[in-house]
Amino acid sequence: MPTKKTVNKPEAEEAQVKKAAAPKAEKAPAEKKAAPKKAAAEKKPAAEKKTAPKAAAKAAAEPAAVKAEKKPAARKAPAKEAAAEKPVRKTVKKTPAKKAPVEEAEMAPVAEQPAPVVEQEAPVVEQPVEEVQLPQPRRSVAFIGSECYPFVKTGGLGDVMYALPKALTKQNCDVKVILPRYRCIPQKYQDKMIYRGEFWMNLCSDGRSFYVGIMEYVWDGVVYDFIDNEDFFGYGNPYTNLVDDIPRYCFFAKAALAALNYMNWVPDIIHCHDWQAALVPVYLRTIFNGTPVASARTVFTIHNLRFQGVYNIATIKYWTGLPDHVFSYEVMKQGRDDANMLKGGLAYADRITTVSATYAGEIQTPFYGDGLDGHLRYHSDRLRGIVNGIDVEQWDSSTDKKLAAPYDRETVLEQKRANKRALQEALGLEVDEGKFVIGLISRLTDQKGLDLVNAILPALVDGNTQVAVLGTGEPQYEDSFRSFEQAYKGSVCAYIAYDESLAHRIYAGADALLVPSLFEPCGLTQLIAMRYGTVPVVRETGGLKDTVQPYNEFTNEGNGFTFDRYESGLLLDSINRAKTLYFTQRDRWDEMVRRDMDKDVSWDSSAVQYRNLYLELKP
Ligand code: ADP
């Protein structure tokens, strides 16, 4: 049964760190040999020993003109050239290359699903090509984020970082995706990366400098540039704990900008994603002010407000080398002693987006705002929601090689039964195509409404219903689902793992998919489910509300079953409504299956909205 586990986004860490006034250990992953003493890093960062090689230290002339920086209000205007600043690339001094980590990387559990690559790299058969009119003008965009399918993925962010750039290329955007070069990226991709260059970069407040390598991979019209530094990214899958993650993403944000200068590729737009890239706008309008890359405008997308990158000010100040004024309440300061990286990104970005219109409204309220609702209300003139799509080539039931029986809207009814039987067999469920099979594919965390599922699961298993759970996460949920499997053998399967292939087979073989989230910025599983003709049962929150139209029995319209308040009874009621339709009015159910498959869940219209947003900033 379960074989592999993945590392999920570290909610636990966040909570832990929010409480902690001081870091547990000031580990300095990039310089383990010469790690600063804890007290030194926290209290007197400037007093740290300089450990970088001399040549490197000289070469690491990051722009140092803090004087030339704008005050927090800098978000309003793009930076003016500051004479004192120099582009990083001019100051780079080549040092003996540090060999890129290309050892036999155990394939990361998070990225075990690289099938589409092969397909898409097949030689293209020459055909008469219709001339496609691309929208004008062309715009260049740098995506900066911490994960991207198929290299490394822990959740929806990874899907978006892959699919949106691809969709934007069809909107005449020239897209470069900048990612950390984690060791867990499968070797087959590591092998295809091409060395683009290297330099040393000042990072910390005492001027310690660090190696930055750039490895490049071009695929499907998108350029992927991986920031290489073995000490920061040579471990983790990709997230570990905040003690290590804070320094590595401080490094990543600054290195990404320095790499753009180094490559002499100044995009019109820099599009940053989630807290791991939140310091990019802050760096851009402070330390990089006056360098070539500062002419770019920034968009910051919140994929999940729960994760913010909060740590004590002394540590973040040390690792970033950012000037004092960004540690004010208007920018990064939070509480008495903490700095919040996400908050800083929101303060400095030219535009803020999140992944659905409903979530854009919700996060401005205390319940969903995770402590930043006031900050978001203050910046609401720059905030909007653009709903996610999915990559409809990656998620295509008619070509999906992972399925027992691929199908389209014409063959769905018959083939879904075949997929259901194959799924039941694989998961040890009673093989009976007459059963109503409910799937749940999720990180197992509080966010996902799993306490509601736990509360009603015994009531669900009535002899006609089966439940297939696929997920990893918090032990309390892993354990409870495992015990349900024991208690209801043959009716419940808890597959505690991250398994891309099984996910495809559940989307295809289940009749309904549960997404009863407490909050859900957008949610992709309900979109994938609909594309596979699987009816979603969702709570009306965030993107779930925006993408699933509730079934109306009077008009026979809708895409799924929904409930509003976060109550287990309401979840049970909506599942029962679904079951009633399935068992008593199958023709109507089947119509809904086809309606769901017809629904446009692609990136097409959202990619146009992003393009328009870029044009607002750079007409
Ligand atoms: P989140 O980003 O909050 O985890 P989303 O619904 O936006 O949730 O995206 C979840 C993505 O991760 C989907 O592509 C889903 O299929 C995938 N996924 C989640 N858990 C698993 C798992 N255990 N195995 C395989 N894929 C998973």
Side-chain angles (χ1 to χ4, degrees), residues 9 153-157 159 304 395 441-443 447-448 470-472 497-500 503 507 520 523-525 528:
K9 295 181 183 175
K153 168 182 158 184
T154 70
L157 171 63
D159 287 310
N304 193 333
W395 297 105
I441 301 170
S442 180
R443 289 184 293 116
Q447 176 195 335
K448 300 294 182 177
L470 170 63
T472 55
Y498 185 96
D499 188 322
E500 189 80 16
Y507 286 122
E520 195 58 75
L524 297 179
T525 58
I528 303 168

Side-chain angles (χ1 to χ4, degrees), residues 357-583:
T358 294
Y359 192 60
E362 286 174 343
I363 55 179
Q364 296 178 54
T365 65
F367 181 77
Y368 293 98
D370 264 302
L372 288 184
D373 48 299
H375 192 63
L376 284 160
R377 284 196 301 278
Y378 182 77
H379 293 289
S380 59
D381 56 329
R382 291 176 293 119
L383 168 65
R384 75 183 68 169
I386 300 178
V387 75
N388 283 340
I390 55 170
D391 186 288
V392 290
E393 288 168 22
Q394 180 194 352
W395 297 105
D396 182 348
S397 59
S398 68
T399 56
D400 192 335
K401 295 202 167 63
K402 298 182 176 78
L403 305 191
Y407 58 91
D408 58 20
R409 76 179 302 287
E410 305 310 324
T411 55
V412 56
L413 301 179
E414 192 189 318
Q415 298 294 71
K416 223 174 197 312
R417 285 199 288 274
N419 284 304
K420 186 190 285 191
R421 287 194 303 271
L423 181 68
Q424 289 169 325
E425 216 166 283
L427 296 184
L429 297 170
E430 186 190 338
V431 179
D432 178 352
E433 63 185 45
K435 302 272 194 240
F436 184 71
V437 176
I438 302 173
L440 193 155
I441 301 170
S442 180
R443 289 184 293 116
L444 302 182
T445 72
D446 280 346
Q447 176 195 335
K448 300 294 182 177
L450 303 170
D451 46 342
L452 301 189
V453 180
N454 279 341
I456 62 155
L457 212 134
L460 275 187
V461 186
D462 58 3
N464 292 316
T465 310
Q466 296 178 342
V467 182
V469 177
L470 170 63
T472 55
E474 291 166 19
Q476 75 196 78
Y477 296 120
E478 295 190 350
D479 293 346
S480 64
F481 285 120
R482 278 198 185 102
S483 62
F484 280 127
E485 173 173 310
Q486 285 304 318
Y488 303 103
K489 272 252 171 279
S491 294
V492 176
C493 172
Y495 200 99
I496 306 301
Y498 185 96
D499 188 322
E500 189 80 16
S501 165
L502 181 57
H504 282 244
R505 288 178 283 145
I506 294 177
Y507 286 122
D511 296 296
L513 190 94
L514 281 193
V515 200
S517 305
L518 176 62
F519 68 95
E520 195 58 75
C522 177
L524 297 179
T525 58
Q526 83 281 9
L527 301 181
I528 303 168
M530 288 190 278
R531 173 117 176 108
Y532 277 53
T534 303
V535 173
V537 178
V538 307
R539 187 166 101 81
E540 292 167 15
T541 182
L544 299 171
K545 184 171 181 185
D546 295 353
T547 57
V548 180
Q549 186 193 341
Y551 179 67
N552 181 328
E553 60 184 351
F554 302 106
T555 61
N556 192 31
E557 288 171 333
N559 306 104
F561 293 85
T562 70
F563 63 104
D564 53 8
R565 289 191 312 281
Y566 191 76
E567 287 172 20
S568 57
L570 296 182
L571 169 62
L572 184 59
D573 176 62
S574 59
I575 297 173
N576 282 339
R577 279 185 280 125
K579 277 162 70 171
T580 305
L581 192 74
Y582 180 87
F583 285 114

